[in-house]
Amino acid sequence: MKIEGTETLHAPRDRVWALLDDPQALASCTPGMQELRPTGPDEFEAVLSIGIAAVRGTYKGKLRITERTPPERYAVQVEGSSGAGFVRAVGVLELEDQGAQTGVRWSGEVQVGGALTLGSRMIPGIARMLAGQFFQCLDRKLQEGSA
Amino acid sequence: MKPPVFDYQDPASVEEALELLARHGAAAKVLAGGQSLMPLLNLRLARPEVVVDINRIDALDYLTEESGWLRVGARVRQRRLEREAEVRRMVPLLTEAVRFVGHPQIRNRGTVCGSLAHADPAAELPAVAVAVGARLVARSRSGVREIPAEEFFTGPLTTALRPDELLAEARFPCTGPDWGWAFLEVSNRHGDYALCAVAAGVRAGDGRIQDARLAYAGAGPVPVRLREAEAALVEHSDLEEGIRAASAEARRVLQPDGDLHASSEFRRHLAAVLTARTVRLAWTRARTRSGGAHA
């Protein structure tokens, strides 16, 4: 299923790019990210603990940066699995220069399997909620950095 | 299918339950009717360390009226809403909506507060709570707070409840005398989660709609109240024109996700059609009530 959204980050585009290009900053803003370990150029092993109410799972998987066009476009591929099933996703971020601000257009294609498919009607809503938390965290970091 | 291993606690008092929630926080999960939690456990989608069963707490089994509010304790089964005539008199929308919740077997066990705390975006009772302006009473060891329904639902299966809080009671305001209410939904089979559901209330006076409430389930990540559509109903002196404007507004504003069962466009279409049907029904009921007769 496909999900997309737009956000505004309150910092110039080159600063947003620098933050997105820093795996540790990304990891600290990704909801539930417990571990992000580089395994090669642009490849990581990740452990995520994602919980929506009682439905909580620890996902182990791989994260790969598949495209990087500074300072405007960034694409990642994620796959992970837990006892409850698997998740595969590709995401694209596009940054638009708006002077002191940066417009972010994001889209993702998410696939789930196993018992998780039972909740599939809620996955777009949940993904959007998690994406919102991710961008809020980035924005906070950007504003702290400029203060 | 069997659940993963968990520690089972069945406190006999609210205080003990709150103590357990304070101690275990997010690792604990409250079990009331179990109609959502048990399947999640059996599928191993939920893996709480501790299950706090509140079924022994008799103090939470009350359904009473107090100063214009219907108070529903955390152990009240959904079935009581349809069986007690007093509920229809006080909050008719609850009686209307509850028959769409699962099946009788589910409503015999499932609780009102459990459905609210589970916060499924397509569930009926959360939409009712938002439509009538219910208040949710959250208790923890550190105190009590009342959360307006519109602030309670924050995402799919996500509420403003903190991990140490118990949804101890739901308070629904009793309907005013000139109000009529209606609840309709479309689902693949009766008892399934709604593809889209609409809760409507209108206050009749001087031959037109004076005030309106519209809330939608299955039309977004949380139950939504549409003030723009409500305003459209009040602004137009002609009922059908108002309904057309409100339906158009619902179609324009709502952004339901599409899935295997229904596309986003189909859900928006249902929202518009059900807006018209529920408002007409609510209007008929409001006029009957304000005319002195009882429906």
Side-chain angles (χ1 to χ4, degrees), chain A residues 52-56 83-84 115-116 118 121-122 124-126 128-129, chain B residues 29 40 43 45-47 120-122 154-158 193 257 259:
Chain A
I52 303 298
V55 185
R56 192 170 289 274
L116 281 177
L118 292 162
R121 76 191 153 87
M122 275 179 260
I126 291 165
R128 224 171 271 126
M129 185 168 76
Chain B
K29 192 70 197 158
L40 287 175
L43 289 163
L45 281 169
R47 294 164 174 268
D120 190 301
T154 55
L157 308 186
T158 310
Y193 277 106
D257 283 306
D259 63 14

Side-chain angles (χ1 to χ4, degrees), chain B residues 208-261:
Chain B
R208 59 177 290 178
I209 291 175
Q210 299 289 348
D211 201 355
R213 290 299 179 95
L214 281 169
Y216 297 79
V222 293
V224 233
R225 192 174 149 199
L226 274 196
R227 287 183 169 74
E228 301 92 330
E230 294 171 1
L233 289 174
V234 178
E235 276 159 23
H236 290 79
S237 55
D238 181 81
L239 178 70
E240 285 303 319
E241 266 175 40
I243 286 175
R244 259 195 304 279
S247 300
E249 201 58 29
R251 186 193 276 276
R252 189 181 69 80
V253 177
L254 295 172
Q255 295 194 322
D257 283 306
D259 63 14
L260 195 61
H261 306 291

Side-chain angles (χ1 to χ4, degrees), chain B residues 24 52 59-60 68 89 108 116 141 144 200 237 265 282:
Chain B
H24 299 289
V52 180
L60 291 173
R89 182 181 63 76
N108 280 337
L116 296 170
R141 228 177 31 174
V144 186
S237 55
E265 174 51 29

Side-chain angles (χ1 to χ4, degrees), chain B residues 147-164:
Chain B
I147 310 163
E150 276 186 278
E151 291 164 29
F152 183 76
F153 303 103
T154 55
L157 308 186
T158 310
T159 68
L161 281 179
R162 293 193 312 256
D164 66 334

